[in-house]
Structure formats: structure tokens, C-alpha cells
Amino acid sequence: MKQVIMYFKQLFLWNKRLCKKKSFLALLFLFPLLTIGMQWISGQESGVLHILLYEQELSDAWTKQIVNELLQMDSIIWFERTEQLEQAYEQVQVGKADAIWIFSDVQEKIEAVFQTRERREAIVNIIEQTDTIALHLAREKLYGVLYPYLSYELFEQFIEHTFTFVRPVTKEELRTFYEASTVEGNLFRMVYSTSSQENEQESSYLVVPLRGILAVFLFLCGVACTMYHKQDRESGVYLQLSETRKFLLEIGSYIMILWCAGSFVMGAFWFLGIFTTWRQELVTMLLYGIIIAGICYLFRRCLKTTTAIGVSLPVFAVLFLVCSPVFLQINQFRLLQNVLPVTHYIQTVHEPDLLGSMLWYAAGVWIAVAGMKLFIRE
């Protein structure tokens, strides 16, 4: 029992000494700084797209309603009303704006859609300098705002041409009947299926990838710990310890530091509203820390110098951010993704059924650790 207490005391002292290193503290405090920065950016006017809305004079009520809906929309697209069309052209030409949406007589144009089969005038005129994927996605917002008006007009035309009534039906009655069956809210919501009903929060598009980014930072934190441990071994801090105690102290130190940093990461998830459940977060974070600890030991054994470990930090950062499903799931990288620990963490935290796969991955890492410890001498 005394040996166990002494072991944890040594881990605590090593952890305390590591926290005195300015470079490690700077890396650790990147977690809250990145979190606060992304939270602040997600609440600002979007820099992703800037679309100008121009409403021609003497426009009808539908036109004014549609423009106002777009201006009040909570979106990653920055919609701005413009009164001068020529000035709007210039902004698009010099790149200060991405597109202009021109609205005029929307109600008349929508009614014409169902009254004639001849070629019709566009409901909304769009001017763009370049046609990009982002602008295609922005049009989905426009379609979503136009849909209720097109839907009602189609409903009205269908009722008038299909049914015969004993008495004339007024437009007010048709509108009342139509709105009684209207589905409120969004068709799609960004939520986590594993979160509880009380804590369910909608997340900004900008903060959703932050889980993968912080998972990569946590891995880099483990690699940095490996570099510090390598320096301690080279300076003779562990000379008086047996090989078994050196191994246990090294692994325990990695796990303790990673779980300490992991608490910062989970706090960031909660602050950003991308937290799932305490059980799911704790289990996956503990297992992720154990996996990283094993990989850090393998790195320390394979990379012979602290310089090599330091050079590997940006390499692993780029590799994980590009190949792991942090931003996108790229099928061409599927085989490589299954080798990276960040992939297993991101998938398991959202799909509890994949916990078994993550356990097998952890077992594979620690079998490699055991093999290197037993058969390859330092």
C-alpha cells in the first residue's frame, strides 16, 4: 500500500514540476483561449459570405416580408440591405461583397408561376462575381424563405381548380386553413442524439469542428509531454530507478497530464454547447487519454532525440487536421483515418455503439507498447 501511495506521490510531483514549464502552460491555456475566441467569432457578423439585398421601389408586401426575413435570419451568412444598386455592383466587383439578390414584385412573379406555362421571369435576380459552392449553399437559404409563399400559392391554385364549394371560399378562409397545417420550426437541427433533453443545445456551424480541433491539441499536448520526459531521462532524473518503475512512472505521468488537460477540453465542450452526456464524455476522454499515453511511449522509443519529437509536432497537427474527420469525412482517406486516434475519439463520442471499436484500437496500441517494452531494449 505504501508503494502505491509513493507512486501516486511521485506522479503528483512530476505533474507539479511540469506545470512550472512556461511552454507547457502556454499549450495548456490554448484550450480556453481557442474556445473563447471561437465562441466570440460565432456570435459576430459572419465573414463566410456577404450578400447584399436590393429591394426595388414600389415592391409588394411579399417582397418586403422576404427581405426582412433574410435580414433577421440567424445564419453564418451576412445579409445586408442596400439602397444603391450601382454601389452594390461595385462592391461585388472589388470583392467587398459576394453577391447581390435583387427583389421586385415577388407576389406577382410567384402567381405567374402557376398561371402560365410560358417562359417566366425569375423571382429573384442574382448577381455574382464567381459561382462557388458556398454561394450555392447560400441559395438554399433563399429557397427556404421563398418556399412558404410558393407553397401557399400552389395550395390556393389546387383548391380553386380541384374542388367545387357550395358557397364561395374567401382568401382569408383559405389562409386560415393553410396556416392551421403549417409545420413550425426548422426541418433540420444540429443537435447531439446522445445529449439529454434538458441540456440539448443548438450549436453554431463554426464551433462544431472545435471538438476535433481540441482533440488534436490534446494529442499534441501528449507529444509535448513526451519531449519533456525525454529531456528528463537525458539529464539523469530517473537514473536511480529500476526499468519497471521508470516505465510505470512514465506511463502514469502521461495519463495524469492528459487527463488534466482533458478536463480543460471537456470544460470547453460544455461552454460551447457541444457537450453530449457526462457518462459518454468521461468514458471516451479516459479511453482517449490511455490511447495517447501508449502512442506517446512508442514515439519516445522510436524518436531518439527531443529535436525529432519537437519537429514531429506540426507534422502530426497537419496530418490529423487534414486526414481525420475534424471538418469533413473524406472517403479517400478512410483507411488512413482508421489508424488515427482522433478519428476513433470523434466517432465514439457521438456513436456509443462504436466504443467496442475504440477498445480494440486501445488494445492494439498497448499490445505494441508491451511488445516494444519486452523485446526491444532501450
Side-chain angles (χ1 to χ4, degrees), residues 129-364:
Q129 187 177 27
T130 56
D131 192 14
T132 63
I133 295 176
L135 288 172
H136 276 279
L137 295 175
R139 289 177 213 158
E140 297 296 328
K141 293 287 186 182
L142 177 61
Y143 302 152
V145 174
L146 291 175
Y147 173 78
Y149 300 90
L150 286 163
S151 173
Y152 175 74
E153 187 62 28
L154 177 62
F155 166 79
E156 185 177 351
Q157 294 288 334
F158 176 77
I159 293 296
E160 290 181 357
H161 293 87
T162 306
F163 299 100
T164 302
F165 297 94
V166 177
R167 63 176 181 82
V169 179
T170 63
K171 290 186 176 295
E172 289 74 14
E173 290 176 325
L174 283 176
R175 171 65 71 174
T176 302
F177 180 79
Y178 174 81
E179 292 181 350
S181 58
T182 301
V183 178
E184 298 293 339
N186 298 324
L187 293 177
F188 303 96
R189 297 181 62 202
M190 294 182 61
V191 298
Y192 294 109
S193 59
T194 52
S195 61
S196 60
Q197 187 70 22
E198 302 83 32
N199 297 328
E200 187 176 278
Q201 303 182 50
E202 294 191 18
S203 303
S204 167
Y205 292 95
L206 293 177
V207 301
V208 168
L210 200 58
R211 175 180 292 278
I213 295 173
L214 290 180
V216 173
F217 266 102
L218 191 59
F219 181 87
L220 298 180
C221 184
V223 177
C225 293
T226 306
M227 185 168 57
Y228 298 136
H229 185 83
K230 186 79 171 178
Q231 291 175 345
D232 288 339
R233 292 179 72 94
E234 293 174 352
S235 61
V237 174
Y238 304 106
L239 281 178
Q240 297 180 353
L241 299 179
S242 64
E243 290 299 323
T244 301
R245 293 195 66 183
K246 287 180 183 179
F247 173 75
L248 294 176
L249 184 61
E250 178 181 0
I251 296 300
S253 300
Y254 292 156
I255 293 176
M256 194 168 185
I257 289 295
L258 288 168
W259 286 350
C260 177
S263 62
F264 278 79
V265 172
M266 288 195 296
F269 295 158
W270 178 83
F271 180 76
L272 291 171
I274 57 176
F275 200 83
T276 55
T277 63
W278 281 105
R279 179 180 177 181
Q280 187 68 13
E281 293 286 353
L282 285 173
V283 170
T284 51
M285 184 59 70
L286 290 174
L287 191 55
Y288 185 53
I290 292 172
I291 290 172
I292 296 177
I295 295 176
C296 287
Y297 176 81
L298 297 175
F299 282 169
R300 205 265 305 166
R301 293 290 303 273
C302 295
L303 303 176
K304 300 301 182 181
T305 63
T306 54
T307 303
I309 298 175
V311 170
S312 70
L313 282 172
V315 175
F316 285 118
V318 173
L319 177 66
F320 286 179
L321 289 174
V322 173
C323 298
S324 296
V326 175
F327 300 99
L328 294 172
Q329 178 75 32
I330 303 176
N331 293 329
Q332 288 79 358
F333 294 159
R334 182 64 59 86
L335 183 61
L336 180 59
Q337 286 177 352
N338 292 333
V339 181
L340 304 178
V342 177
T343 301
H344 291 271
Y345 169 75
I346 295 174
Q347 291 178 346
T348 303
V349 79
H350 297 310
E351 295 291 339
D353 295 338
L354 296 177
L355 182 61
S357 176
M358 193 174 184
L359 287 170
W360 279 109
Y361 183 85

